[in-house]
Amino acid sequence: MSAPVAATANSFLATIPSPPQGVWYIGPVPLRAYALCIIAGIVAAVWIGSRRWVARGGTDGMVIDIAVFAVPFGLVGGRLYHVATDWHKYFGPDRNPLDAFKIWEGGLGIWGAVALGAVGAWIGCRRRGVPLAAFADAVAPGIVLAQAIGRLGNWFNQELYGAETTVPWGLEIYRRVDPATGLNDPIGGVAIDSSPMFVVHPTFLYELLWNLLVFAVVIWADRKFRMGHGRVFALYVAGYTLGRLWIEMMRTDDATLLFGVRINVFTSLIVFAGAVLYLVIVRAGREDSELLVGKPLPGEAPAEPAKPEAEQPEPDEPKAAEAEAEDAGGGSGSQARSAESANGEKDGR
């Protein structure tokens, strides 16, 4: 990453300001914007996943039960991937390995979060007796929406940005210091003034907008083609990695390189190819709604299956039978009415 060049006053008249700080204190307790964004994303993902699960015929509350396993596994996996791929930030000369546990300072790799989160989801699905692929399809749009919300945390932390730029939507980066010591503190500090050190491409914002687009496309495709057996999740993965590929190449923050290229570029290519291959090979539609009911936990009553979104109400059988009877006896009834009419005319004459 090249050294930043000081920006002139005219270059950021129409740019995007960074928050002056990302941490506030309620007494001795820190309130971190990054953590709040992650929590908000998780809540949104679980809420959307629950609604989609019930709409597909599943039992209400089951997504929350499975998320109890998937979310902690995902957070641990995301941190492990980040530390493994950016190990130089935590190990080596003048580094503190204990910083690897400071998750509040940012650093969650989506690949590790999805991989280990899937292990937690598998445990929860086996416990409740429902297919993992169906669960993944239900929560896929919520996951990419959670990623979009989580990117706001990078904005508060002033991280994940690209090279310097003069575009009107450039992001202002401020110098933050610890108010108590006056030392530089990019994550927990406060901006000393509103004059940015430099203006950069807001790659966090590019990814946020891309994730919202993927969210909309996945919702639309699932409704139109009634996808199942993991194909919704594969579409989300393919869409996300396609955007992450070009956004990753714009970033200028420190990262582990492989053959001179950021390692996440290779990861995006491999995962994208695997997701597309899955979409091509697997052609099955949605699972039967009975498979999504699952089994009750000890002490729970058996759950009643929810009516899936595409299920139509059965016809009113008594009325239908009555109409059929009328059609079948229409000839004799007509003859009787004709005879009565003829007799009446005869008596009248």
Side-chain angles (χ1 to χ4, degrees), residues 42-284:
I42 293 172
V43 171
V46 171
W47 181 74
I48 292 174
S50 297
R51 288 176 60 87
R52 285 173 51 79
W53 181 261
V54 172
R56 295 163 98 87
T59 305
D60 189 18
M62 188 167 292
V63 168
I64 297 177
D65 292 342
I66 299 173
V68 169
F69 294 90
V71 171
F73 273 73
L75 291 174
V76 172
R79 188 59 176 177
L80 287 176
Y81 180 89
H82 168 74
V83 173
T85 55
D86 288 337
W87 58 269
H88 57 277
K89 297 180 179 179
Y90 307 100
F91 306 99
D94 301 323
R95 300 294 181 179
N96 183 4
L98 294 179
D99 289 344
F101 295 96
K102 296 180 179 179
I103 192 172
W104 55 86
E105 292 186 354
L108 289 174
I110 183 61
W111 318 114
V114 170
L116 209 55
V119 174
W122 175 77
I123 295 173
C125 287
R126 280 185 60 86
R127 182 169 173 265
R128 297 308 306 259
V130 296
L132 175 62
F135 175 80
D137 285 340
V139 300
I143 292 176
V144 74
L145 180 62
Q147 290 175 246
I149 297 172
R151 283 306 179 209
L152 290 173
N154 301 132
W155 179 49
F156 280 96
N157 277 4
Q158 290 194 140
E159 58 187 359
L160 304 191
Y161 50 77
E164 292 184 62
T165 183
T166 57
V167 297
W169 56 86
L171 177 68
E172 301 175 3
I173 299 298
Y174 307 135
R175 178 173 178 257
R176 290 177 176 176
V177 299
D178 184 341
T181 63
L183 300 177
N184 284 338
D185 189 355
I187 301 297
V190 179
I192 56 176
D193 58 52
S194 58
S195 299
M197 296 186 297
F198 47 93
V199 178
V200 295
H201 275 288
T203 51
F204 85 90
L205 179 60
Y206 299 161
E207 186 172 333
L208 186 157
L209 296 175
W210 180 266
N211 289 346
L212 293 179
L213 176 62
V214 173
F215 171 79
V217 169
V218 170
I219 291 289
W220 169 82
D222 186 32
R223 288 179 177 175
K224 182 173 180 61
F225 302 109
R226 297 187 58 76
M227 304 166 71
H229 289 83
R231 300 185 76 235
V232 180
F233 189 82
L235 179 62
Y236 141 66
V237 171
Y240 172 73
T241 51
L242 181 62
R244 181 65 182 266
L245 181 63
W246 62 268
I247 293 170
E248 189 70 28
M249 291 188 290
M250 294 183 65
R251 286 171 53 176
T252 57
D253 52 315
D254 292 335
T256 302
L257 303 180
L258 186 62
F259 304 114
V261 180
R262 298 171 69 92
I263 192 171
N264 280 335
V265 172
F266 291 102
T267 307
S268 296
L269 284 171
I270 295 171
V271 176
F272 172 78
V276 172
L277 184 62
Y278 187 91
L279 285 170
V280 171
I281 294 176
V282 178
R283 293 291 184 178

